[in-house]
Amino acid sequence: MIGPVESKGYFVRLLALFHLTCLINFSSVEARTRHHKWEVKYEYRSPDCYKKLIITINGRSPGPTIFARQGDTVVVELKNNLWTENVALHWHGIRQLGTPWSDGTEGVTQCPILPGETFIYKFVVDRAGTYLYHGHYGMQRAAGLYGSIIVSLPEGVSEPFSYDYDHNIILNDWYHASTNEQAAGLSAIPFVFVGEPQSLLINGRGKYNCSPSTASGSAAGVCNTTNPECSPYSLTVVPGKTYRLRIGSLTSLSALSFEIEGHDMTVVEADGNYVEPFAIRNLYIYSGETYSVLVKADQDSSRNYWATINVVARKPATPTGLAIFNYYPNHARKQPPTVPTTGPLWNDTTSRLTQSLAFKARQGFINTPPVTSDRVIVLLNTQNKIDGHFKWSLNNLSLILPQTPYLIALKENLTDAFVQDPPPDGYDFANYDIRSVAKNVNAASSNRIYRLRFNSTVDVILQNANSMTVNNSETHPWHLHGHDFWVLGYGTGKYNLSCDWRKYNVVNPVMKNTAPLHPYGWTALRFRANNPGVWAFHCHVESHFYMGMGVVFEEGIEKVGELPSSIRGCGESEGHHRP
């Protein structure tokens, strides 16, 4: 017989068990579909101690992290509460198999979401890994519209490496000028570049050095280094434990070097693909890339350590970005006793190229590429002028997106929406000097696209060159929507069509969705055109893409299902939109 006290405890435990059972049943349902309701709007924030208007999602920047399991359906109900701006949100690294209209690329896969409108994105996360999301209208990514997507393996499946805890770190550079001001300068005559960022952010936190003149007088309160919003991000670790750090970069301009003082890191994942583990002291990371590194908390636990990011590939004019690698039980804000590292030499291209070449697919997870390709497209990356405006171009064509998104125009055979002639597959290989400013820097605007035979194998050779500044060649991180590609190789100088293909790694090349093009060098990529839709391929530097540095691929458009009416409403599809 149960007594009164025992009876009370018994029923409490029974109630708890019932509650737990309900949670388990509920989560098993929710594991299949993940619903998110987001509101995008402008708010005043001080991510680096300097107060300015930024774009937030549900009051946050970076926005909420999406957590899902492989095979889940993600539904995001996005309301645009920006005052006067359209918006679109791209799910970076998600291939959108069967849902090309949810890629979130204004002008390519959808009309923009107008102020006051609500748009529903719905897609399947088909692979585990570390991914990103960000604005893909104008330059809104640089205004704070970004976040992370973490996709875990199916229940009962384990990673090919072990760790105790998992943390997400997202890196960014930060400007005090608004994106509208930046865009106006890029389009102006005379040209006004965005310049170097004012600060670097780790998980949305940085520190701008407020001068006395900035922080006093009429500007009092605009810049405040005691604001808790800009206190350094602190990652607390338990001595002896191993941590998986999922690191993503969504910088507008900067290539970065990330390191944790006194700690080695082991790279195990790149853009959602397992890589053969290799140890590094600093991780070079370019805009649009994601990596997982393993770090063991095996140093002196009586103190904390700096985690730092520094600008590379451009002469730095931005202070080191700082976070605290906090050993428990030290206070999370206890500063390390050392001076933060300034990172590697900013112009050490050899070191960055060496790390790029070190990535190989992990044994047991190698997806072998086709031995040969059906088509080779060589894209010469150049800085140019069009009617006095500064532009970036590929094979002398600078991309301008049409008013009618390509996906709609192609699916509905609206042949007047863009020029039907294809762009060139190459450039003047024999005569172009990649190490000098071009004799004729003039280029042409273009909305022409590459139409690929469905299921064919395509090689893209990215060829870097001198900009319009003497002895200057920029670093360009290139991102492909709708696919992963094999990174077959990197090289220096001008790519030689007759022999450089012999240098390719076709045995265990890493697969990625974003890869760097180093100064005065080339990068060789291969992908299968097997995802019906229309996909952007562009430099992930925000100002470069804004200035035309991109191309568009079409493949299997006839296999795309009926387009949802919600993506219409602009250009020749105006009046066809139904909410």
Side-chain angles (χ1 to χ4, degrees):
M1 182 176 180
I2 301 174
V5 176
E6 292 88 347
S7 174
K8 182 178 179 181
Y10 170 76
F11 284 112
V12 168
R13 291 193 299 273
L14 186 63
L15 183 62
L17 181 62
F18 174 77
H19 180 62
L20 180 61
T21 303
C22 289
L23 283 176
I24 292 172
N25 289 336
F26 178 77
S27 63
S28 67
V29 172
E30 289 301 297
R32 293 192 294 270
T33 304
R34 310 281 183 168
H35 291 275
H36 300 270
K37 194 171 185 177
W38 288 357
E39 178 188 24
V40 173
K41 64 179 180 179
Y42 273 107
E43 297 184 82
Y44 280 104
R45 290 288 186 273
S46 305
D48 69 343
C49 307
Y50 185 93
K51 188 177 182 180
K52 62 167 285 189
L53 275 175
I54 73 171
I55 300 178
T56 63
I57 300 176
N58 293 354
R60 298 166 59 181
S61 176
T65 298
I66 292 178
F67 293 97
R69 192 175 293 280
Q70 180 176 313
D72 284 354
T73 297
V74 173
V75 179
V76 178
E77 185 179 332
L78 185 72
K79 183 175 184 181
N80 179 8
N81 267 348
L82 303 181
W83 303 323
T84 58
E85 294 181 36
N86 302 330
V87 76
L89 212 55
H90 169 55
W91 315 98
H92 184 113
I94 306 301
R95 294 181 291 183
Q96 301 294 344
L97 302 178
T99 53
W101 47 79
S102 280
D103 188 53
T105 315
E106 181 271 334
V108 179
T109 61
Q110 70 168 96
C111 293
I113 308 166
L114 302 178
E117 282 193 347
T118 297
F119 185 91
I120 296 176
Y121 291 102
K122 184 176 181 180
F123 52 88
V124 173
V125 287
D126 63 296
R127 296 169 307 155
T130 308
Y131 307 104
L132 304 162
Y133 66 82
H134 58 81
H136 221 292
Y137 178 85
M139 295 175 63
Q140 290 176 344
R141 168 161 58 93
L145 186 54
Y146 67 97
S148 298
I149 305 171
I150 307 300
V151 183
S152 58
L153 286 164
E155 196 74 45
V157 181
S158 59
E159 307 275 6
F161 44 83
S162 59
Y163 55 93
D164 299 299
Y165 300 102
D166 193 329
H167 288 281
N168 184 42
I169 297 174
I170 193 163
L171 310 177
N172 208 353
D173 49 12
W174 195 247
Y175 291 85
H176 293 167
S178 72
T179 52
N180 292 326
E181 290 174 306
Q182 291 181 322
L186 295 174
S187 303
I189 299 177
F191 176 72
V192 181
F193 187 52
V194 298
E196 302 304 314
Q198 277 67 63
S199 57
L200 301 176
L201 307 184
I202 300 177
N203 277 358
R205 293 169 176 262
K207 184 146 291 189
Y208 177 65
N209 184 20
C210 302
S211 67
S213 60
T214 303
S216 61
S218 61
V222 173
C223 198
N224 178 10
T225 56
T226 65
N227 190 327
E229 280 186 57
C230 58
S231 60
Y233 171 70
S234 182
L235 171 62
T236 301
V237 298
V238 176
K241 299 297 183 181
T242 298
Y243 291 81
R244 177 185 187 174
L245 305 184
R246 299 175 182 261
I247 306 168
S249 173
L250 281 174
T251 52
S252 302
L253 175 68
S254 310
L256 300 174
S257 172
F258 173 86
E259 60 185 292
I260 301 172
E261 177 193 3
H263 293 73
D264 287 328
M265 298 178 285
T266 301
V267 185
V268 292
E269 178 212 353
D271 292 356
N273 296 281
Y274 296 133
V275 301
E276 193 64 20
F278 67 99
I280 54 172
R281 181 48 65 105
N282 70 286
L283 174 70
Y284 293 116
I285 183 168
Y286 307 90
S287 180
E289 291 188 315
T290 63
Y291 293 104
S292 284
V293 299
L294 302 182
V295 181
K296 188 171 184 179
D298 58 1
Q299 299 300 302
D300 178 6
S301 61
S302 66
R303 51 159 291 195
N304 290 337
Y305 297 81
W306 291 114
T308 58
I309 50 175
N310 287 281
V311 172
V312 293
R314 301 181 65 86
K315 189 173 183 179
T318 310
T320 298
L322 301 176
I324 296 174
F325 198 67
N326 165 231
Y327 270 77
Y328 181 83
N330 297 315
H331 194 282
R333 294 188 182 178
K334 180 183 178 182
Q335 291 210 352
T338 49
V339 176
T341 176
T342 56
L345 291 174
W346 69 271
N347 56 356
D348 184 1
T349 304
T350 301
S351 175
R352 291 186 285 120
L353 178 60
T354 298
Q355 190 170 108
S356 293
L357 288 165
F359 285 92
K360 314 292 182 189
R362 188 178 183 119
Q363 294 297 317
F365 298 89
I366 297 172
N367 185 354
T368 306
V371 177
T372 59
S373 65
D374 301 301
R375 184 175 180 181
V376 178
I377 300 172
V378 184
L379 298 176
L380 176 68
N381 291 232
T382 57
Q383 192 179 47
N384 300 88
K385 280 190 175 183
I386 300 177
D387 298 328
H389 295 274
F390 277 60
K391 296 289 183 180
W392 285 94
S393 304
L394 289 313
N395 296 346
N396 223 42
L397 295 179
S398 184
L399 179 66
I400 51 169
L401 297 175
Q403 290 187 327
T404 306
Y406 291 110
L407 182 62
I408 299 172
L410 287 161
K411 188 65 181 172
E412 300 184 358
N413 200 29
L414 304 175
T415 55
D416 293 334
F418 64 93
V419 176
Q420 299 297 301
D421 294 336
D425 280 12
Y427 68 102
D428 185 357
F429 301 102
N431 298 313
Y432 195 94
D433 180 4
I434 67 165
R435 294 192 175 273
S436 301
V437 177
K439 295 177 182 177
N440 180 2
V441 297
N442 292 315
S445 297
S446 170
N447 59 17
R448 296 188 277 172
I449 67 172
Y450 290 94
R451 306 196 68 168
L452 309 176
R453 180 167 58 83
F454 185 70
N455 217 28
S456 64
T457 300
V458 181
D459 279 3
V460 176
I461 314 299
L462 298 165
Q463 175 66 65
N464 216 338
N466 207 99
S467 69
M468 288 193 296
T469 301
V470 175
N471 297 325
N472 172 261
S473 182
E474 303 275 350
T475 297
H476 303 290
W478 275 87
H479 170 58
L480 177 59
H481 293 224
H483 304 77
D484 278 358
F485 47 68
W486 290 278
V487 183
L488 299 183
Y490 299 89
T492 56
K494 186 188 287 189
Y495 181 84
N496 189 319
L497 283 168
S498 63
C499 62
D500 276 340
W501 59 270
R502 300 180 189 276
K503 303 174 185 177
Y504 289 174
N505 173 13
V506 294
V507 177
N508 59 349
V510 64
M511 296 197 78
K512 298 181 91 268
N513 61 60
T514 306
L517 175 60
H518 296 291
Y520 298 114
W522 54 265
T523 300
L525 315 173
R526 179 170 292 172
F527 70 96
R528 294 288 296 274
N530 59 2
N531 190 6
V534 189
W535 310 106
F537 179 49
H538 62 92
C539 176
H540 216 259
V541 171
E542 194 81 314
S543 56
H544 291 186
F545 182 50
Y546 182 82
M547 295 163 66
M549 199 169 196
V551 298
V552 174
F553 296 125
E554 175 274 322
E555 59 203 58
I557 192 68
E558 70 283 354
K559 300 179 184 297
V560 174
E562 183 178 352
L563 303 181
S565 60
S566 58
I567 69 171
R568 297 183 175 91
C570 58
E572 293 187 32
S573 72
E574 193 171 354
H576 294 241
H577 176 271
R578 295 189 301 275

